[in-house]
Amino acid sequence: MDQPASEGPFQAEAHLRSILATVPDAMVVIDEAGSILSFSAAAEKMFGYSEAEVIGENVKMLMPNPDRDRHDQYLINYLTTGKRKIIGIGRVTTALHRDGNTFPIELSVGEAWSDGRRIFTGFIRDLTERQQTLLRLQDLQSELAHVGRVSEMGTLASSLAHELNQPLTAVASYCESARDLLRNDPDPETLAMVREAMDEAAGQAIRAGQIVRRLRDFMSHGETERRVESLQRLINEANALALVGSREHAIDVQLSLDPDADLVFVDRIQVQQVLVNLIRNAIDAMMESSMRCLSIRTARGRDGFVQVTIEDTGSGISQTIAPQLFQPFVTSKQSGMGIGLSICRTIVEAHGGRIWFESGRNGGTAFHFTLPSGEAKS
């Protein structure tokens, strides 16, 4: 039986072109210098460029900072050391559209040799739709969890009221008795009874405090799972999630991440919860502003901590609520429960750090928080 003839160069190229035209994920092929060799139809749709416009250009044109500024050095480091950070691993990050807006992507990079030269193929999946679906599910789960929490809080409040009622009633009774005994000129025997009543009142007050303390210990009992994490990766993933749905608002995102302040010893999920909350708050604060610039910065802090700053160009924090901003049920939004910043403070302080805010450089607000460095743990 005759074997089918192998594909010639023309057939092979046509076959590759047909794949590039139909593959659902964007596919970008670059050489060792980062120059774009091919750009699939899905990539054209995703980024807003035609293939003719990007062939020969550096692939970093598709990246926001800090990835754009670091990409060439990353390629040099990989070719020199062979140490992989993305190739064969994949990660969630952000990409830069032609219109200047960023969007969340999942990036996977493969390596191959062609005609004696090394090439890299990037497969890019736009996560916007998936993230929107996840956000809708999370909103539903949050509503269900809220209903559950309200029910639990009702039960807890009832139990707490029952537990505290007895000692607090006793405190009131002893104090009232002491007050009545002191209305007239007390004799020594009466003073002794007053002292006894006050001693009993103090004992019951201590009992009430113990009940509250046991409740607090119970509520904060859960252990967190902390490990050394890359702060840049946590920020990139949280930023990608928080920016979902904000593309039409033309948010200018500027990342300035210090590579010497990258490792932190944290619970990844909890810290990303803080990041997403603060980034979304910053986006909400800029909806009525003509200038919408979101700045995320990291730097080495003091005493083994790393500092993160999230700054917006919104209207700023009202002076009337500023002193209580991190208290629960305090908010500057028209809607919302006002517990987000309270949760952020709880998480940051549980990691041994602190969180605060100040006026931004361009009018808005800059939130700062610190996390323990992971350098000593790595």
Side-chain angles (χ1 to χ4, degrees), residues 15 28 51 53 74 78 90 115 132 140 145 170 177 211 227 239 242 252 263-264 286 297 319 332 336 360 369:
H15 188 199
V28 181
E51 184 178 40
E53 290 177 295
Y74 168 69
Y78 173 67
D115 296 328
Q132 288 174 337
L140 178 59
S177 298
I211 292 172
R227 60 186 65 180
N239 188 41
D252 177 20
L263 297 182
V264 288
M286 295 187 290
R297 307 186 295 273
Q319 293 299 318
S332 58
F369 65 94

Side-chain angles (χ1 to χ4, degrees), residues 29 46 72 80 96 143 152 186 204 252 257 304 313 335 344 347:
V29 181
M46 184 179 295
D72 290 344
T80 304
L96 184 66
E143 289 296 326
E152 290 174 1
Q204 292 298 322
D252 177 20
L257 308 181
T313 55
S335 61
C344 289
I347 291 174

Side-chain angles (χ1 to χ4, degrees), residues 322-337:
Q324 296 87 31
L325 191 61
F326 291 104
Q327 298 298 321
F329 310 114
V330 174
T331 179
S332 58
K333 299 180 182 179
Q334 294 182 350
S335 61
M337 293 182 63

Side-chain angles (χ1 to χ4, degrees), residues 309-368:
T309 298
I310 297 175
E311 183 175 354
D312 62 63
T313 55
S315 56
I317 303 296
S318 168
Q319 293 299 318
T320 58
I321 67 170
Q324 296 87 31
L325 191 61
F326 291 104
Q327 298 298 321
F329 310 114
V330 174
T331 179
S332 58
K333 299 180 182 179
Q334 294 182 350
S335 61
M337 293 182 63
I339 60 174
L341 289 176
S342 175
I343 292 173
C344 289
R345 185 183 69 173
T346 299
I347 291 174
V348 170
E349 290 181 352
H351 281 79
R354 66 187 187 99
I355 184 170
W356 71 100
F357 71 93
E358 59 189 6
S359 297
R361 297 170 295 182
N362 296 302
T365 307
F367 280 88
H368 312 277

Side-chain angles (χ1 to χ4, degrees), residues 36 53 55 93 99 126 203 217 219 233 250 265 285 312 336 373:
I36 298 175
E53 290 177 295
I55 292 296
T93 184
D99 61 12
D126 189 341
D217 293 341
M219 296 296 289
R233 181 164 188 169
F265 186 64
D312 62 63
S373 172

Side-chain angles (χ1 to χ4, degrees), residues 148-362:
R149 285 196 301 270
V150 169
S151 176
E152 290 174 1
M153 287 175 64
T155 302
L156 180 61
S158 177
S159 300
L160 184 60
H162 177 75
E163 288 289 331
L164 289 176
N165 184 63
Q166 184 178 354
L168 292 179
T169 300
V171 169
S173 298
Y174 286 125
C175 289
E176 288 174 356
S177 298
R179 180 198 61 198
D180 293 340
L181 290 170
L182 291 172
R183 278 179 177 171
N184 301 315
D185 292 335
D187 54 34
E189 183 178 352
T190 302
L191 287 176
M193 294 174 63
V194 169
R195 282 194 293 270
E196 182 179 355
M198 298 308 296
D199 289 341
E200 291 292 340
Q204 292 298 322
I206 291 172
R207 178 185 170 194
Q210 289 173 339
I211 292 172
V212 174
R213 187 160 48 253
R214 286 200 305 269
L215 175 65
R216 183 187 62 192
D217 293 341
F218 172 76
M219 296 296 289
S220 62
H221 177 67
E223 294 293 332
T224 58
E225 184 178 351
R226 298 184 190 175
R227 60 186 65 180
V228 176
E229 302 279 358
S230 166
L231 184 55
Q232 177 180 337
R233 181 164 188 169
L234 296 182
I235 290 174
N236 282 335
E237 291 180 355
N239 188 41
L241 178 61
L243 287 173
V244 169
S246 64
R247 181 170 175 176
E248 64 271 16
H249 299 302
I251 305 294
D252 177 20
V253 182
Q254 299 179 357
L255 275 71
S256 178
L257 308 181
D258 186 349
D260 293 329
D262 185 50
L263 297 182
V264 288
F265 186 64
V266 296
D267 182 289
R268 179 176 64 86
I269 300 299
Q270 289 189 347
V271 170
Q272 286 190 324
Q273 183 179 358
V274 173
L275 289 165
V276 170
N277 194 301
L278 292 178
I279 294 172
R280 284 183 180 167
N281 284 352
I283 293 172
D284 290 343
M286 295 187 290
M287 287 299 95
E288 305 300 325
S289 300
S290 57
M291 185 170 98
R292 300 171 182 170
C293 179
L294 171 65
S295 174
I296 304 175
R297 307 186 295 273
T298 61
R300 281 180 174 270
R302 298 179 179 178
D303 302 324
F305 280 81
V306 172
Q307 180 172 317
V308 182
T309 298
I310 297 175
E311 183 175 354
D312 62 63
T313 55
S315 56
I317 303 296
S318 168
Q319 293 299 318
T320 58
I321 67 170
Q324 296 87 31
L325 191 61
F326 291 104
Q327 298 298 321
F329 310 114
V330 174
T331 179
S332 58
K333 299 180 182 179
Q334 294 182 350
S335 61
M337 293 182 63
I339 60 174
L341 289 176
S342 175
I343 292 173
C344 289
R345 185 183 69 173
T346 299
I347 291 174
V348 170
E349 290 181 352
H351 281 79
R354 66 187 187 99
I355 184 170
W356 71 100
F357 71 93
E358 59 189 6
S359 297
R361 297 170 295 182
N362 296 302

